[in-house]
Amino acid sequence: MKPSIIIIGANDFQNQLILEAKAMGYTTHVFAWQCGDVGERTADYFYPISIVEKERILEIARAIRPVGVCSIASDLAAITVNFVAEGLGLVGNGMVSAYTATNKHLMRLAFEKAGLPSCKSILVTEDTDLNALPLRYPLIVKPTDRSGSRGIRKVTDPAELPEAVEFARAPSFEKKVLVEEFAEGREYSVEYLSWRGEHRFLAVTEKFTTGAPLFVETGHLQPPRHMDEQTLTAIKDLVPKVLDCLGVKYGASHTELKVDTDGAIRLIECGARMGGDCIGSDLVRLSTGVDFVRAVIEAACGIEPACEKDPETHISAVRFLFGPDDLAALEAIQRENPDCLYRVSEILPFDGREIRDSSTRYGYYIMTAKTQDEMQALLRMSGLADELLE
């Protein structure tokens, strides 16, 4: 009889986890709100239960008796994963760590206590006097408990702050907002895998966004351009301290940070889960040879994961579609460089909506190349603004 594994979430990103688990010989039990996502069809057993109903999922899980529970690329799912794992005595980081790594205010407090280089921030509630915040402009305003660029806005004028706070409060589950000083520099994410408190570096990813005010991700590149060994060494020294202060001992983590022109590093946030946007599910394996998805499954099931890297250098990137021009660029790449396309997602009909966060984009495609020069040419064909590539 095949061992069972519980997976929280059923969207396209989670589907990579479902397919890998099935290939590894597990029976997959997938929990998610029923809305037609691909994982509803690929799972061995699908349960139409929202991922926030953690008590109900735990009750069903007791009957399933899985050997592991996991998810990728979702802060909200990470809470349920740790709740169920703790309730069943399976591998996980515990609820204290789960809440600290998914609440941006608690995270900032942990960074401050550990003496880590973090942006100065203030927790804003409905009673906060916005005219008396001891912060320097420009500011970043964000919900305390959401991801995927939801509710984020850059503010350069105090007159803009009340509207930005309400914009951030709307998607927040706890209706609280974090206002912090804006960190200058290039933005990167760092992927690690932890096992029994030992943190293993996998990759650094360069992030491209729409810029102010919403900073929705337009693409990701791995490995990054222009990063010297000194900066890379500093990042490798910093991130394990971040994971220790958040209580992360097992599984994937995704740390976001900025590096300014002087090489100073400022932490943005850290999630105790794999990076979304295909970073963990695809780019890590394509650029390093490490099957990150498999490693996450192994760790969740109490098996020490293998992290052997391919000595050969690879370049990978994901590009997201925001409108018809992006689709035209994809079609040009399909005609002229079809061998560089690793995967093209389902592309939603263009309905003219404003892209306000990652959940409202129309689709994506993943590209691979042997050199950075080849990838730069592909990125320019894909329509990323030239100023982001210099």
Side-chain angles (χ1 to χ4, degrees), residues 31-197:
F31 292 79
W33 183 262
Q34 190 165 21
C35 60
D37 282 336
V38 62
E40 299 175 19
R41 301 184 297 275
T42 58
D44 292 306
Y45 297 94
F46 175 71
Y47 304 79
I49 300 171
S50 169
I51 66 173
V52 303
E53 296 185 64
K54 57 185 186 294
E55 292 85 1
R56 187 178 174 193
I57 294 175
L58 175 58
E59 181 181 353
I60 297 172
R62 294 189 193 281
I64 295 172
R65 300 178 67 181
V67 295
V69 53
C70 59
S71 183
I72 59 177
S74 170
D75 284 342
L76 194 58
I79 294 174
T80 299
V81 164
N82 281 280
F83 181 82
V84 174
E86 190 170 80
L88 297 178
L90 300 173
V91 170
N93 291 312
M95 292 307 294
V96 173
S97 176
Y99 282 124
T100 306
T102 55
N103 185 290
K104 294 175 176 58
H105 175 56
L106 296 179
M107 192 182 303
R108 288 280 181 228
L109 294 179
F111 291 166
E112 181 179 345
K113 183 177 180 180
L116 301 176
S118 179
C119 301
K120 185 178 180 181
S121 65
I122 300 290
L123 177 66
V124 171
T125 66
E126 293 180 350
D127 299 324
T128 302
D129 182 358
L130 298 180
N131 295 316
L133 298 183
L135 299 173
R136 294 180 304 168
Y137 283 77
L139 304 175
I140 286 288
V141 183
K142 60 179 70 172
T144 56
D145 53 2
R146 295 307 300 265
S147 58
S149 301
R150 294 176 180 85
I152 292 179
R153 182 170 289 179
K154 182 181 180 182
V155 173
T156 58
D157 186 326
E160 303 169 346
L161 187 56
E163 181 181 350
V165 167
E166 291 309 310
F167 180 71
R169 181 178 284 123
S172 173
F173 293 110
E174 64 175 8
K175 300 305 176 185
K176 294 181 180 178
V177 175
L178 197 68
V179 179
E180 59 189 32
E181 294 180 348
F182 180 74
E184 301 289 348
R186 290 185 180 273
E187 188 168 356
Y188 303 93
S189 63
V190 192
E191 306 301 313
Y192 265 75
L193 182 72
S194 300
W195 175 254
R196 295 180 177 174

Side-chain angles (χ1 to χ4, degrees), residues 203-368:
V204 176
T205 310
E206 185 170 0
K207 178 185 292 189
F208 302 111
T209 76
T210 57
L214 300 179
F215 298 97
V216 182
E217 288 90 345
T218 55
H220 300 282
L221 172 67
Q222 195 180 109
R225 309 154 299 131
H226 313 313
M227 180 171 285
D228 57 48
E229 284 299 321
Q230 182 177 355
T231 301
L232 181 58
T233 298
I235 288 173
K236 289 180 179 180
D237 179 65
L238 173 62
V239 174
K241 297 174 183 176
V242 172
L243 299 175
D244 286 341
C245 90
L246 296 178
V248 177
K249 293 181 172 60
Y250 293 96
S253 62
H254 175 76
T255 303
E256 297 179 347
L257 50 83
K258 281 190 172 182
V259 181
D260 68 18
T261 53
D262 295 324
I265 300 173
R266 288 290 180 273
L267 290 168
I268 306 301
E269 58 191 61
C270 175
R273 43 80 176 173
M274 184 182 291
D277 280 1
C278 303
I279 295 171
S281 60
D282 295 278
L283 300 193
V284 168
R285 182 172 59 80
L286 292 172
S287 67
T288 71
V290 175
D291 192 334
F292 201 5
V293 176
R294 183 184 184 92
V296 165
I297 294 170
E298 290 173 334
C301 296
I303 303 168
E304 181 173 1
C307 293
E308 294 296 325
K309 290 189 175 183
D310 187 337
E312 184 178 348
T313 300
H314 305 274
I315 317 293
S316 61
V318 59
R319 174 68 164 110
F320 297 95
L321 278 66
F322 283 61
D325 289 346
D326 296 332
L327 179 58
L330 168 60
E331 291 170 345
I333 293 174
Q334 289 173 321
R335 289 193 305 270
E336 300 175 29
N337 300 91
D339 292 343
C340 79
L341 288 170
Y342 172 73
R343 186 170 76 243
V344 178
S345 76
E346 177 186 359
I347 298 173
L348 301 176
F350 295 109
D351 57 12
R353 63 177 177 266
E354 180 185 5
I355 307 300
R356 299 169 68 88
D357 57 52
S358 61
S359 69
T360 56
R361 298 172 303 198
Y362 291 97
Y364 67 85
Y365 54 97
I366 299 173
M367 301 175 286
T368 61

